[in-house]
Amino acid sequence: DAYKEKDWQEVLEHVETQVTSEARERLGDQNFRNCFKMSFAAIGNGKVSPKDVEDAVELLRKGMELTGWPLSTFRDLLGPHPKMYQVLQPFAPADDEEGEYHDFISEHHVLWEAGSKENWEKVCEVVDSQLRPMAYKRLGEPNYRNVVILGLRGLALSGKALEGPVFEALKKGMEVLGYPKERAKELVNGIGEKEEELLRIYGEA
């Protein structure tokens, strides 16, 4: 009832007793999953930073040890937590190349802040990750366009080769966005005299 009413403080009072092996035995797995879902929701919505993430990470670790359920199961249960991917980040598999468990939103804030401060080195550190198709799905087209624009700016202005990393970033961004070649000029700006040369290289590819 407290969960339905979004009375998060009331839900939090019951978390410790609802996520135990004894509770699982009495409730059955389906109801036990719901206990985790409600607990994650309460932590995410009822606690302030950084406890909203730290306590959820602790609960996730406890849940995985207690149940042996795969991370994918807990990802679904974490749905109501506003910072789900921050919670999942410490558990992300090393081979998560697509970024299924990656926190693209926090990383996007890093990219945006670095770009606004013209910290091109930091932009270069995160742009490859932000250019992944999964980032487009999580961030949406307007934010992904900004990724491409800032990424190209950072790569070009930090001296990366136009025919190498800069071209590859433009190519990747255009493919993910699904833009025809003539729209490349929308993404190539802010790199001064290198704009025309990059567009020429891309147009001839």
Side-chain angles (χ1 to χ4, degrees), residues 74-181:
F74 284 97
R75 179 190 58 197
D76 295 338
L77 300 178
L78 269 162
H81 194 298
K83 299 178 181 177
M84 174 174 70
Y85 290 103
Q86 285 188 45
V87 178
L88 286 169
Q89 194 67 52
F91 305 89
D95 60 351
D96 184 27
E97 294 182 5
E98 293 184 2
E100 186 175 354
Y101 297 96
H102 189 68
D103 183 10
F104 287 103
I105 295 175
S106 293
E107 186 179 66
H108 186 70
H109 292 319
V110 172
L111 178 78
W112 184 257
E113 183 176 353
S116 65
K117 295 180 179 178
E118 298 187 359
N119 183 348
W120 305 128
E121 183 178 351
K122 174 60 71 173
V123 169
C124 291
E125 285 179 14
V126 300
V127 66
D128 284 347
S129 175
Q130 284 279 288
L131 283 171
R132 288 182 284 180
M134 189 65 72
Y136 174 81
K137 293 180 181 178
R138 301 260 175 85
L139 300 173
E141 182 176 344
N143 287 324
Y144 189 83
R145 278 174 56 96
N146 289 333
V147 168
V148 181
I149 293 169
L150 277 177
L152 292 174
R153 198 173 296 170
L155 291 165
L157 296 181
S158 62
K160 300 295 188 294
L162 290 182
E163 295 188 19
V166 186
F167 165 76
E168 292 298 332
L170 176 57
K171 179 183 176 184
K172 180 68 173 290
M174 290 288 289
E175 289 174 351
V176 173
L177 286 164
Y179 287 178
K181 275 195 171 184

